[in-house]
Amino acid sequence: MNGLLRLAGAGMALGGFLFFARMGPIFAILPEDMAFPPETAADLVRLADLAGLRWQLSHAMGLVAVWLFIFGYWAHARALGAAGHKTVGAAAAIIATLAFGGFTIALFVDGFALPSTISTYLAAPSEYGLENVDAVHARALQFFTPATFFMFVAMGVLSSRMLHGFIHSRWLGGLGMFIAVGATSAYLFGIAGENWDNLRIGGSFMMAGFVWHLLIGFSALFGRGIRT
């Protein structure tokens, strides 16, 4: 069982790294006069056009990351189930699957359907308006926004087992619970941004969440694993 958990740890650590590294190709070409994320459809068109294949590469890295996270949560569920915590482990894995499944759809739409729409727009801007670009991006956000919320819920459920000392460390459980409660509260009170787009709050919580997953990966890879 520890072997599976260590493999999952390697996957989650890699997933956490990829979620940060995936921004590199985009930030490398981000114009100095453009905010991130782009504030208008015109800015989105401009950025995706400048990025070229970097856009698809960035989103493909994100897709690999979320699949690694799903594997990591189910490996934790199996380890917790074997130690008598089947319900909580399974709940965390199911919620995480919903969350990262939503990320998968959002990343695919924004990473691959959106560039195709932008190409169509650039080929005939007078016939194919920016509203079509906005519509595709909005479709991605329909999955991204709840997916982010449920990611924090999954973090909170898994953190509860750490707080009780059953797996990894109590301090990681405390950190995860703090991030999960803070992020979900910030969203519900409307201060994280409609689509987690308030970078100071929503963006900071998202970055903290992925750092936490990276730390969980290292803990699963190098730590003592499950405690019975």
Side-chain angles (χ1 to χ4, degrees):
M1 184 61 67
N2 273 347
L4 177 63
L5 199 58
R6 293 187 194 283
L7 181 61
M12 291 182 83
L14 177 58
F17 170 77
L18 285 173
F19 239 95
F20 287 103
R22 66 180 288 266
M23 300 313 301
I26 303 301
F27 282 129
I29 53 86
L30 183 68
E32 292 184 3
D33 62 345
M34 184 181 294
F36 188 87
E39 296 177 340
T40 66
D43 282 346
L44 187 61
V45 168
R46 181 184 171 200
L47 182 59
D49 187 45
L50 284 171
L53 289 177
R54 292 170 182 254
W55 188 270
Q56 287 90 338
L57 173 62
S58 172
H59 288 78
M61 291 168 71
L63 285 170
V64 173
V66 296
W67 295 334
L68 289 171
F69 288 142
I70 291 173
F71 168 65
Y73 270 90
W74 280 105
H76 277 79
R78 186 173 179 184
L80 286 166
H85 308 282
K86 184 176 181 179
T87 301
V88 177
I94 291 170
I95 297 168
T97 301
L98 289 173
F100 294 117
F103 273 124
T104 296
I105 298 172
L107 285 162
F108 183 81
V109 172
D110 219 38
F112 300 94
L114 183 62
S116 176
T117 301
I118 288 173
S119 295
T120 302
Y121 166 76
L122 290 174
S126 60
E127 300 174 14
Y128 197 83
L130 277 173
E131 64 273 12
N132 293 290
V133 175
D134 248 341
V136 174
H137 184 56
R139 198 171 304 137
L141 291 176
Q142 287 177 344
F143 293 95
F144 169 82
T145 302
T148 303
F149 183 87
F150 282 114
M151 178 187 77
F152 290 117
V153 175
M155 285 175 56
V157 175
L158 185 59
S159 292
S160 70
R161 299 302 86 190
M162 300 177 207
L163 279 172
H164 286 87
F166 296 123
I167 193 169
H168 302 320
S169 66
R170 293 182 188 273
W171 77 264
L172 270 177
L175 177 62
M177 192 63 73
F178 173 79
I179 296 170
V181 172
T184 53
S185 299
Y187 182 76
L188 292 173
F189 282 102
I191 59 176
E194 184 180 357
N195 295 300
W196 302 90
D197 48 9
N198 181 338
L199 292 186
R200 186 176 178 183
I201 299 175
S204 295
F205 272 120
M206 285 188 65
M207 291 300 101
F210 288 119
V211 168
W212 184 82
H213 282 91
L214 178 66
L215 293 175
I216 292 300
F218 283 128
S219 186
L221 185 57
F222 300 113
R224 292 181 295 172
I226 194 78
R227 297 169 183 80
T228 57

